[in-house]
Amino acid sequence: MSKNTFAENQRRHPLDDDARVWLFGYGSLIYLVDFPHLDSRPASIRNWSRRFWQGSHDHRGTEADPGRVVTLIEDEGAVCGGIAYRVEAAVFEQLDVREKNGYLRFATEMTFDDGSHATGLVYIATPDNEAYLGEASEYEIARHICRAEGPSGSNRDYLLDLARALRELGQHDQHVFDIETHILEILNR
Ligand code: SIN
């Protein structure tokens, strides 16, 4: 699959112009909210885990030197916390550009903090996209993140901003927090 998924996303999820859709954000969409939305609520999705296994060529790295950003990995029984945004269909023009480096929109069931549910969309970068980097130890990921930088800023800030936002949400994510610990140790050397 091409690493530019913009056209594929526009094709696979045609939305009525007046549609209002829930979007589940679990990475930078939690803390970098540069798109209009009608509502936002803490939410979670089941059977997925957040992992820094996706390459970033256009935001936190370059084609020659990709950064590492999050995607979701199927994980039976896991719960991934994030934020759900209620957005108008037109907003996906902008979001599909932002998430074009390998992410596809998938339908998902989400649970809000009050226990109610809704169906919505989530961007996932699957292992068959060209920018996918895959598994590495948290230490290796931390070393990689410390080196990478792209048009949207340092890869380190992506990780640290996400860790801070998860803490503010009351979400514990061992993978993210372990990488954060390694990064802070590397920076303090
Ligand atoms: C998301 O935040 O939901 C997708 C991944 C990202 O943009 O960091």
Side-chain angles (χ1 to χ4, degrees), residues 23-31 59 69-71 98-99 103 122-124 158:
L23 167 71
F24 179 75
Y26 58 93
S28 67
L29 289 174
I30 295 181
Y31 63 85
H59 283 299
V69 291
V70 287
T71 184
R98 172 169 162 171
E99 303 297 325
Y103 293 86
V122 58
Y123 286 97
I124 299 176
Y158 177 105

